């Protein structure tokens, strides 16, 4: 603990000019959480004996993967001492309240970052001194500049043997303007330079502005569900003040609640006497209904309400859709309740009920990306003990039929069966940062995924930024994995929506015994339809157990079959009792068996076990075969 660290202050004693609100933004794995740990230790809000790595990452899944999924707000005290030469004999240290928000770094959680930026006046832009600027670093920087935040450039991990702070300081200074000497050098692991960073935050980031005597206005920037206390709402005060036991009003729904508890996170919840202008804290009203606390809503006093609500956040647009179904149909109610609770802690999750002939009742969920999908399904199974099947991810398609009908398709089963005039697919602008040695392989990969080169720029002697216009449908499957493997892990990717574009897309159906199985349908480009059909038919042939009769597995575009595999019948040995004798006797038994098989084939339905659905949709069959 630094000698300048003090006990947390009561918010009612902190005027706005002594408050600094900032967040840490960076690419994934550049050391945000480690730097936050050192700040917590140096300011003394977490004792050494209670300290653990990634202190603000509360979920097990965050710790296991080493990534931040949820933004976390924490309040820290810090005393700024004037330089010795300027210090008067009786000069007292001013104690500032620093409200820090640690943000995620992966492109799928950009919405979390954008909400955090709206609650701050400044941002610490963190760059790994061994890796340099990455794609998500640029994306987060532009987000911060759009919010008109003061940027403090910082190089982290300067203690690493591979660190090259001089080179990357010049790169960072060239990006945001200024001198390389203005870029701070810190080590989140050893704590070197962290005190200087805290001093710079106090000196450079402006104090929050607001009207203390105006009606209270607080913006909800996050919320979580607590099983015992109900909805815990995190707010940033803009005007006025809120105190315990007063009635508050949600401006969007006009619902009123009593404030049971109000306080700050430092980093554990600490009840206080109230929140004033510019402060970041939490509110508890005892409400159990998760829909009552909407992220982006404005809270005001019920007795003296404000007239104008604060500008909220733009609703995130889902990029990837997938069906989520319980393996046991009786868990459908539990899945609905679990999604309601997850929606509170993750405002970017969207879902609506849907039914599938093969899988029963479930939900069509919208996600911001594949990692977001993976994290949500893992949280559903861990936190709510649900066994789930997820269908293959797809994106939104805009279909125009010959008769002029307009259809928005989020699920392949919604694709119109009639003649299709045009299909538009969502496009994204992808920014890929890679060492110059891998430019050729990255361009080859992007072109194979129907990408169009928009531009190419050298950020430094050996780092190149490639900008492509690409279909989102080509990115959501395994593009990121392919990019990493072809560049030995050095490339980074960021993308943003860029409208729609017409394309030659078709729906590939999978038929078992002539019946369509909607869970296996997919919308793909016509050039890749054959390879998708052969891959799925072969995969299902290996997974579906053999029946008493031969089962054809077919892939079809409309009425045209493009691929076929057969599951051979289990043949009962009807000749086992024939030890010899005339061949006509054996032939009679075989003909009798053939007649029975025909009748069975007419009335029989193919049974597909749940394990086959899970394996076929997740693509696990190849690894199982190798074993």
């Amino acid at each position: 603990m630094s000698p300048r660290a003090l006990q947390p202050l009561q918010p009612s004693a902190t005027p706005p000019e002594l408050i600094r609100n900032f967040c840490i933004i960076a690419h994934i794995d550049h050391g945000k959480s480690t730097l936050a740990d050192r700040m917590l230790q140096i300011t003394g809000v977490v004792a050494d004996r209670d300290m653990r790595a990634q202190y603000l990452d509360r979920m097990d899944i965050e710790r296991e993967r080493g990534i931040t999924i949820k933004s976390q707000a924490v309040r820290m005290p810090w005393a700024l001492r004037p330089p010795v030469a300027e210090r008067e004999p009786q000069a007292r240290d001013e104690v500032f309240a620093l409200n820090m928000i640690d943000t995620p770094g992966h492109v799928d959680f950009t919405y979390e970052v954008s909400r955090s930026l709206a609650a701050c006046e400044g941002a610490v832009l963190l760059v790994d001194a061994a890796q340099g600027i990455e794609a998500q670093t640029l994306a987060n920087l532009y987000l911060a500049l759009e919010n008109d935040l003061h940027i403090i450039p910082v190089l982290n991990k300067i203690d690493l043997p591979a660190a090259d702070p001089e080179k990357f300081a010049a790169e960072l200074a060239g990006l945001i303007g200024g001198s390389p000497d203005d870029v701070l050098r810190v080590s989140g692991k050893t704590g070197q330079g962290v005190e200087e960073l805290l001093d710079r935050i106090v000196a450079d980031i402006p104090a929050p502005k607001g009207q203390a005597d105006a009606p209270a206005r607080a913006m909800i920037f996050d919320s979580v569900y607590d099983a015992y206390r109900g909805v815990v709402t995190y707010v940033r005060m803009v005007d006025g003040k809120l105190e315990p036991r007063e009635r508050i009003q949600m401006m969007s729904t006009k619902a009123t609640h009593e404030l049971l508890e109000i306080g700050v996170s430092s980093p554990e919840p600490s009840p206080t006497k109230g929140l004033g202008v510019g402060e970041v804290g939490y509110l508890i009203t005892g409400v159990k209904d998760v829909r009552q606390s909407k992220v982006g809503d404005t809270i005001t006093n019920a007795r003296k309400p404000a007239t104008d609500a604060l500008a909220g956040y733009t609703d995130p647009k889902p990029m990837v859709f997938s069906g989520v179904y319980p393996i046991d149909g009786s868990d459908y109610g539990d899945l609905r309740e679990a999604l309601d609770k997850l929606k509170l802690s993750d405002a970017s999750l969207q879902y609506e009920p849907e039914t599938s002939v093969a899988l029963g009742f479930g939900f069509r969920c919208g996600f911001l990306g594949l990692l977001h999908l993976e994290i949500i399904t893992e949280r559903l199974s861990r936190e709510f003990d649900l066994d789930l099947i997820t269908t293959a991810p797809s994106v939104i398609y805009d279909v125009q039929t010959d008769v002029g009908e307009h259809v928005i398709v989020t699920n392949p089963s919604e694709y119109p069966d009639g003649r299709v005039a045009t299909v538009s697919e969502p496009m994204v602008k992808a920014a890929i940062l890679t060492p110059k040695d891998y430019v050729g392989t990255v361009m080859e990969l992007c072109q194979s995924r129907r990408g169009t080169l928009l531009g190419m720029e050298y950020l430094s002697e050996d780092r190149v930024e490639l900008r492509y216009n690409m279909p989102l449908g080509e990115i959501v499957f395994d593009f990121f994995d392919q990019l990493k493997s072809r560049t030995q892990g050095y490339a980074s990717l960021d993308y943003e929506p860029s409208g729609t574009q017409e394309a030659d897309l078709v729906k590939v159906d999978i038929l078992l015994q002539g019946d369509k199985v909607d869970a296996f349908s997919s919308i793909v480009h016509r050039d890749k339809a054959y390879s998708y059909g052969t891959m799925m038919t072969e995969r299902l042939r290996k997974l579906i157990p053999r029946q008493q009769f031969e089962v054809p597995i077919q892939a079809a575009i409309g009425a045209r079959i493009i691929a076929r595999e057969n599951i051979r019948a289990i043949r009962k040995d009807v000749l086992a009792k024939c030890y010899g004798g005339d061949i006509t006797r054996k032939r009679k038994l075989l003909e009798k068996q053939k007649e029975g098989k025909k009748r069975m084939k007419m009335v029989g339905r193919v049974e597909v076990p749940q394990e086959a659905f899970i394996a076929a949709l997740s693509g696990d069959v190849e690894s199982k075969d190798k074993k």
Side-chain angles (χ1 to χ4, degrees):
M1 186 193 300
S2 167
R4 294 152 62 187
L6 294 120
Q7 288 303 309
L9 297 167
Q10 291 292 322
S12 53
T14 312
E17 57 268 19
L18 293 181
I19 297 172
R20 299 290 183 270
N21 297 323
F22 71 99
C23 60
I24 305 176
I25 54 174
H27 188 79
I28 193 167
D29 200 30
H30 276 213
K32 294 178 300 300
S33 299
T34 310
L35 179 62
D37 289 347
R38 293 296 78 72
M39 287 183 173
L40 295 178
Q41 271 188 305
I42 288 171
T43 56
V45 292
V46 178
D48 288 344
R49 68 168 181 263
D50 298 327
M51 194 65 207
R52 63 177 190 270
Q54 291 174 263
Y55 190 89
L56 294 177
D57 291 345
R58 302 300 168 92
M59 288 184 271
D60 291 341
I61 191 169
E62 288 181 310
R63 302 180 154 281
E64 287 170 18
R65 291 173 175 247
I67 59 173
T68 302
I69 295 165
K70 282 285 294 171
S71 296
Q72 295 289 346
V74 62
R75 177 187 171 95
M76 306 175 294
W78 187 246
L80 181 68
R81 294 175 67 94
V84 177
E86 300 172 13
R87 194 177 304 166
E88 298 172 15
Q90 303 301 317
R92 294 191 58 175
D93 298 339
E94 286 185 306
V95 180
F96 289 80
L98 308 183
N99 291 313
M100 174 186 69
I101 303 178
D102 180 26
T103 64
H106 195 278
V107 61
D108 283 11
F109 302 107
T110 303
Y111 184 59
E112 286 280 326
V113 179
S114 68
R115 298 205 317 270
S116 305
L117 293 172
C120 299
E121 281 78 34
V124 173
L125 181 68
L126 202 64
V127 173
D128 188 329
Q131 295 182 46
I133 296 165
E134 304 273 11
Q136 195 61 26
T137 314
L138 293 174
N140 286 337
L141 172 63
Y142 297 146
L143 271 177
L145 292 173
E146 281 172 25
N147 282 270
D148 202 22
L149 300 192
H150 181 86
I151 309 292
I152 299 178
V154 178
L155 282 177
N156 191 24
K157 305 189 185 180
I158 58 169
D159 56 310
L160 289 179
D164 191 350
E166 301 308 319
K167 173 185 170 185
F168 293 123
E171 198 174 290
L172 199 50
L175 181 67
I176 64 173
S179 163
D181 298 333
D182 296 335
V183 179
L184 289 173
R185 277 85 157 165
V186 305
S187 168
K189 187 175 181 182
T190 65
Q192 179 186 345
V194 177
E195 289 195 14
E196 289 78 2
L197 172 58
L198 291 168
D199 287 343
R200 175 79 77 87
I201 287 166
V202 170
D204 290 2
I205 292 178
K209 292 181 175 64
Q211 298 175 335
D213 52 356
R217 290 196 304 170
M219 179 177 280
I220 302 175
F221 69 87
D222 204 1
S223 47
V224 294
Y225 184 82
D226 185 287
Y228 302 103
R229 315 191 75 181
V231 177
V232 180
T233 305
Y234 291 94
V235 297
R236 154 72 196 269
M237 291 298 300
V238 177
D239 295 324
K241 63 178 181 178
L242 291 174
E243 294 177 344
R245 293 298 167 187
E246 70 176 323
R247 291 200 72 77
I248 59 170
Q249 182 182 42
M250 305 289 180
M251 292 192 75
S252 66
T253 60
K254 303 299 180 188
T256 61
H257 311 287
E258 184 185 359
L259 261 184
L260 302 179
E261 184 177 312
I262 187 167
V264 297
S265 301
S266 61
E268 304 306 322
S270 305
T272 59
K273 297 173 185 175
L275 292 176
V277 172
E279 295 196 292
V280 176
Y282 68 89
L283 312 174
I284 295 176
T285 57
V287 172
K288 297 285 185 185
D289 184 0
V290 296
R291 297 175 194 86
Q292 297 271 352
S293 187
K294 187 181 175 220
V295 167
D297 198 358
T298 304
I299 294 177
T300 187
N301 302 93
R303 186 169 50 83
K304 186 186 170 187
T307 52
D308 299 325
L310 297 162
Y313 311 106
T314 55
D315 284 335
K317 291 181 180 173
M319 306 279 269
V320 178
F321 288 84
S322 179
V324 178
Y325 296 85
I327 287 179
D328 184 349
S330 61
D331 287 340
Y332 176 74
D334 295 337
L335 176 58
R336 176 189 287 279
E337 192 178 329
L339 284 168
D340 277 346
K341 289 177 181 174
L342 265 193
K343 168 75 175 170
L344 185 71
S345 64
D346 187 347
S348 55
L349 172 65
Q350 298 185 15
Y351 56 92
E352 58 184 32
E354 118 176 317
T355 55
S356 161
V357 177
L359 300 173
F361 292 99
F363 290 90
R364 192 79 188 161
C365 299
F367 304 96
L368 298 184
L370 276 192
L371 179 67
H372 190 209
L373 184 159
E374 197 180 327
I375 294 294
I376 290 293
T377 49
E378 197 161 334
R379 285 185 69 186
L380 285 169
S381 60
R382 283 188 187 204
E383 296 173 25
F384 302 97
D385 200 24
L386 294 167
D387 293 323
L388 304 170
I389 296 177
T390 55
T391 61
S394 64
V395 298
I396 302 177
Y397 296 101
D398 192 342
V399 181
Q400 198 87 19
T401 63
D402 276 358
V403 294
E405 192 183 356
H406 188 71
V407 184
I408 300 296
V409 176
T410 60
N411 185 347
S413 62
E414 298 168 356
Y415 197 84
D417 289 330
R419 290 180 64 83
V420 172
T422 60
V423 185
S424 297
E425 61 179 341
M427 303 295 288
V428 293
K429 278 183 184 168
I432 301 167
L433 265 71
T434 179
K436 63 180 182 183
D437 299 345
Y438 302 106
V439 169
T441 56
V442 171
M443 291 177 89
E444 184 187 338
L445 173 64
C446 293
Q447 283 161 8
S448 71
R449 301 302 178 96
R450 299 189 283 130
T452 308
L453 184 65
L454 297 176
M456 179 174 164
E457 186 180 340
Y458 275 79
L459 295 177
S460 64
E461 288 179 14
D462 53 359
R463 288 167 66 73
V464 184
E465 182 187 22
L466 296 165
R467 292 185 302 280
Y468 270 89
N469 201 36
M470 297 180 71
L472 178 61
E474 297 285 352
I475 286 183
V476 298
F477 289 101
D478 62 345
F479 180 80
F480 190 64
D481 292 342
Q482 287 284 328
L483 181 67
K484 284 290 185 186
S485 63
R486 291 190 186 205
T487 60
Q488 298 181 356
Y490 285 113
S492 59
L493 168 74
D494 181 65
Y495 57 85
E496 60 181 21
S498 66
T500 59
Q501 180 177 295
E502 284 188 14
D504 187 9
L505 301 169
V506 292
K507 177 188 172 190
V508 179
D509 289 311
I510 302 298
L511 289 75
L512 287 180
Q513 195 73 18
D515 296 330
K516 287 182 186 176
V517 183
D518 57 350
F520 296 137
S521 297
S522 184
I523 299 169
V524 296
H525 195 268
R526 192 179 294 275
D527 294 345
K528 297 188 176 179
Y530 174 73
S531 59
Y532 176 79
T534 52
M535 181 265 293
M536 281 304 289
T537 51
E538 189 178 337
R539 186 181 285 181
L540 288 170
R541 178 181 62 77
K542 295 173 182 174
L543 289 166
I544 297 174
R546 289 165 68 185
Q547 317 284 319
Q548 289 280 319
F549 50 90
E550 188 178 83
V551 177
I553 306 169
Q554 297 164 310
I557 299 173
R560 185 164 64 89
I561 305 299
I562 58 169
R564 172 173 174 145
E565 293 278 350
N566 288 336
I567 301 173
R568 290 189 299 116
I570 300 173
R571 180 171 174 176
K572 183 180 175 187
D573 190 1
V574 291
L575 303 181
K577 57 189 177 184
C578 295
Y579 294 106
D582 191 7
I583 187 67
T584 54
R585 186 176 168 216
K586 293 182 181 179
R587 191 168 290 141
K588 182 181 171 186
L589 286 170
L590 290 171
E591 290 296 327
K592 191 176 175 184
Q593 183 188 40
K594 192 189 285 185
E595 289 296 319
K597 294 262 185 194
K598 262 187 193 168
R599 281 200 308 275
M600 189 185 289
K601 203 167 186 176
M602 282 194 299
V603 298
R605 282 188 71 243
V606 183
E607 288 187 8
V608 184
Q610 293 280 22
E611 295 76 24
F613 268 110
I614 297 168
L617 293 172
S618 63
D620 288 343
V621 68
E622 287 88 349
S623 56
K624 286 179 182 173
D625 285 346
K626 283 171 190 170
K627 288 176 188 174

